Amino acid sequence: MKISISLGGSLLTRQGNADAYRAYATVLRRLKEDGHQLVVVCGGGRLARDFISIGRKLDANHYLQDRLGILATHVNALLLIAALGEDADTRLHRRGGEIRKHLSDRILVGGGHLPGSSTDYRAVLFAEAMGADLIVNATDYGGVFDRDPSKHPDAKQFNSLSFGQLEEIIRKRFKQSPGDYGLFDLKAVRRARRCQIPLIIIDGTDPEEIVRAVEGSHSGTEIRG
Ligand code: UTP
């Protein structure tokens, strides 16, 4: 399969050391060895939020805050490239055209590009460019719930949704601002809907869940239609 993965930066930065980069690299390498073609876009995680918070204190406008976030995504992407070694293309990809040109049996790793969106949007653009069969969004908050699970312990997770339903949930419940593009950014949902590539949103805190998403045995939320 051709798969575009949006790897939440928080998954990479939460321990503040090399372990997480190594753990995700191990799983990605296994998917590659199983014959899948992979493009992985790294989020900025704690690095992005720290840079943006300092920027805010210095009165940086949204454009500048987004640019700080983008730099953080590049740091994470370069560290993942390091962890993947020979299995990764060493270029840091930002544009769909680059993906089309360099698609090979090596894993392509990318980061953010233009202010005003998140790496989820990049993952959708890359999915379109590579003709992906699947987009996987791995985050640290799991699938899509009917209410905020951090405030409502009885919140129920959806097993499946349409893109229209996901768009409505995001519009009602999530803000879209630098460092916080919520569950999945709105532009990304609309684009994924237009290109009709199925999206699976998973709790990626266990890297193995990415493999389960590809193999169809995950516990996340599947969006199509
Ligand atoms: P992300 O929001 O994609 O990373 O990028 P994240 O916070 O690590 O994602 P999750 O929540 O863990 O999944 C960090 C910030 O960089 C800017 C935005 O401000 C974004 O919130 N950014 C990123 C852009 O402006 N454009 C991009 O293409 C990517």
Side-chain angles (χ1 to χ4, degrees):
M1 271 207 283
K2 290 183 184 170
I3 307 157
S4 177
I5 301 174
S6 178
L7 188 57
S10 334
L11 298 173
L12 296 169
T13 57
R14 78 202 133 116
Q15 287 157 306
N17 59 31
D19 294 351
Y21 299 89
R22 253 193 225 110
Y24 289 96
T26 301
V27 157
L28 296 169
R29 190 173 290 124
R30 210 162 72 230
L31 285 172
K32 171 187 173 288
E33 281 160 7
D34 287 345
H36 300 292
Q37 259 183 333
L38 303 179
V39 172
V40 184
V41 190
C42 297
R46 206 173 64 210
L47 295 177
R49 275 172 274 281
D50 287 353
F51 292 164
I52 290 171
S53 145
I54 296 172
R56 273 192 196 124
K57 290 190 181 113
L58 298 170
D59 291 330
N61 60 23
H62 277 194
Y63 178 80
L64 207 46
Q65 289 178 35
D66 277 333
R67 285 184 59 195
L68 288 164
I70 291 169
L71 276 183
T73 71
H74 292 180
V75 171
N76 276 335
L78 291 176
L79 290 171
L80 185 68
I81 288 172
L84 284 164
E86 290 284 290
D87 293 302
D89 181 310
T90 52
R91 287 166 282 230
L92 196 165
H93 296 280
R94 278 164 289 184
R95 297 180 185 84
E98 297 167 350
I99 298 294
R100 259 190 298 275
K101 194 162 145 206
H102 301 298
L103 200 61
S104 69
D105 57 348
R106 293 203 177 188
I107 300 170
L108 302 194
V109 182
H113 184 37
L114 299 174
S117 59
S118 77
T119 44
D120 297 337
Y121 183 56
R122 282 290 114 197
V124 176
L125 293 182
F126 290 176
E128 248 183 310
M130 78 191 292
D133 305 289
L134 179 66
I135 302 166
V136 177
N137 183 38
T139 67
D140 60 352
Y141 45 75
V144 187
F145 291 80
D146 60 351
R147 283 175 294 168
D148 181 350
S150 66
K151 293 186 192 136
H152 306 277
D154 59 338
K156 288 197 179 57
Q157 191 193 288
F158 297 106
N159 292 329
S160 60
L161 287 172
S162 67
F163 280 108
Q165 287 170 321
L166 178 64
E167 190 176 328
E168 205 179 309
I169 290 170
I170 293 173
R171 253 193 294 113
K172 277 194 189 142
R173 299 212 327 247
F174 295 89
K175 58 177 185 182
Q176 305 262 299
S177 57
D180 187 6
Y181 280 88
L183 178 64
F184 198 74
D185 96 61
L186 261 184
K187 256 162 86 174
V189 183
R190 291 185 185 130
R191 188 94 189 198
R193 182 183 198 172
R194 215 175 320 138
C195 60
Q196 282 294 302
I197 303 175
L199 161 70
I200 300 178
I201 300 182
I202 53 164
D203 178 351
T205 45
D206 173 6
E208 291 294 330
E209 183 71 353
I210 297 176
V211 178
R212 291 193 283 270
V214 172
E215 292 174 349
S217 55
H218 62 91
S219 322
T221 304
E222 201 157 329
I223 298 109
R224 50 174 84 226

